[in-house]
Amino acid sequence: KQEVTQIPAALSVPEGENLVLNCSFTDSAIYNLQWFRQDPGKGLTSLLLIQSSQREQTSGRLNASLDKSSGRSTLYIAASQPGDSATYLCALEYGNKLVFGAGTILRVKS
Amino acid sequence: GAVVSQHPSRVICKSGTSVKIECRSLDFQATTMFWYRQFPKQSLMLMATSNEGSKATYEQGVEKDKFLINHASLTLSTLTVTSAHPEDSSFYICSASPRRRAGLREQYFGPGTRLTVT
């Protein structure tokens, strides 16, 4: 059974800081991994998708890495802004379904 | 492109009543639709997978007689929570895919429906 853990569960940082969110999984037999953003009471916004053959993806201030052998992915956010405040979820394709982590609640203080 | 809508966005119902949630793909044909449930500060949990014209496949622990899923057309799936109880209060999110086997690259998520059972 695949288990996905996100650490930390919550994070509060001052504006401008660089930060790292972690996602770990127990079975490395995954296809793709994706990071999502979820605003309170809202659906999911896709941030970055890393295919199983890739090691990282970048979009603007966001960089996501994937190390299947160690069962880890990280989401790096550079120069954080108050608008980055949200819950960040990682999800991975495992078998024929998606398995989500519980998320990291990020608050960026101005 | 690839927009998925849900209706209603919020619903409050009394214990014992039934409530229907709609999930629509607006600009593509959704061969497969997924229903997820999310409790506060917890991850999304897959409830069931439905293919157009077929019966839904429910995940272990999800009562199929309580959560009725209908995927009668290529653009619409409905989730009906029957005889709702307060413990059914949750955030329900659907996703849709134009493919029968849908990985992350081909799943598009709706905005979610907040169900509160009083």
Side-chain angles (χ1 to χ4, degrees), chain A residues 1 5 32 42 66 75 99 109:
Chain A
K1 181 184 175 185
T5 303
N32 303 315
K42 304 293 184 181
L66 173 62
L75 177 67
V99 181
K109 299 172 289 186

Side-chain angles (χ1 to χ4, degrees), chain A residues 45-90:
Chain A
T45 300
S46 173
L47 297 175
L48 291 166
L49 169 69
I50 308 178
Q51 298 180 41
S52 59
S53 59
Q54 299 174 323
R55 294 191 65 85
E56 67 176 329
Q57 281 288 327
T58 297
S59 175
R61 295 182 293 111
L62 305 179
N63 175 277
S65 67
L66 173 62
D67 184 344
K68 288 175 61 176
S69 62
S70 66
R72 293 186 61 181
S73 176
T74 61
L75 177 67
Y76 175 82
I77 302 177
S80 58
Q81 302 171 357
D84 294 331
S85 298
T87 297
Y88 290 81
L89 300 170
C90 71

Side-chain angles (χ1 to χ4, degrees), chain A residues 39 41 47 93-94 101:
Chain A
D39 292 287
L47 297 175
E93 286 182 48
Y94 182 65

Side-chain angles (χ1 to χ4, degrees), chain A residues 31-34 36 38 41-44 49 51 89 91-93 95-103 105, chain B residues 10 34 36 38 41-46 49 59 91 93 101-107 109-112 114:
Chain A
Y31 293 104
N32 303 315
L33 184 145
Q34 191 160 9
F36 293 90
Q38 185 177 30
K42 304 293 184 181
L44 305 181
L49 169 69
Q51 298 180 41
L89 300 170
L92 45 90
E93 286 182 48
N96 62 348
K97 61 184 68 172
L98 303 187
V99 181
F100 286 82
I105 301 172
Chain B
R10 291 176 174 270
F34 305 84
Y36 295 86
Q38 184 181 33
K41 298 186 179 180
Q42 295 187 29
S43 61
L44 275 74
M45 298 298 294
L46 179 65
T49 303
E59 294 299 301
F91 193 57
I93 299 179
R101 178 190 166 92
L104 277 166
R105 283 180 291 178
E106 300 99 3
Q107 270 197 53
F109 287 84
R114 171 71 62 191

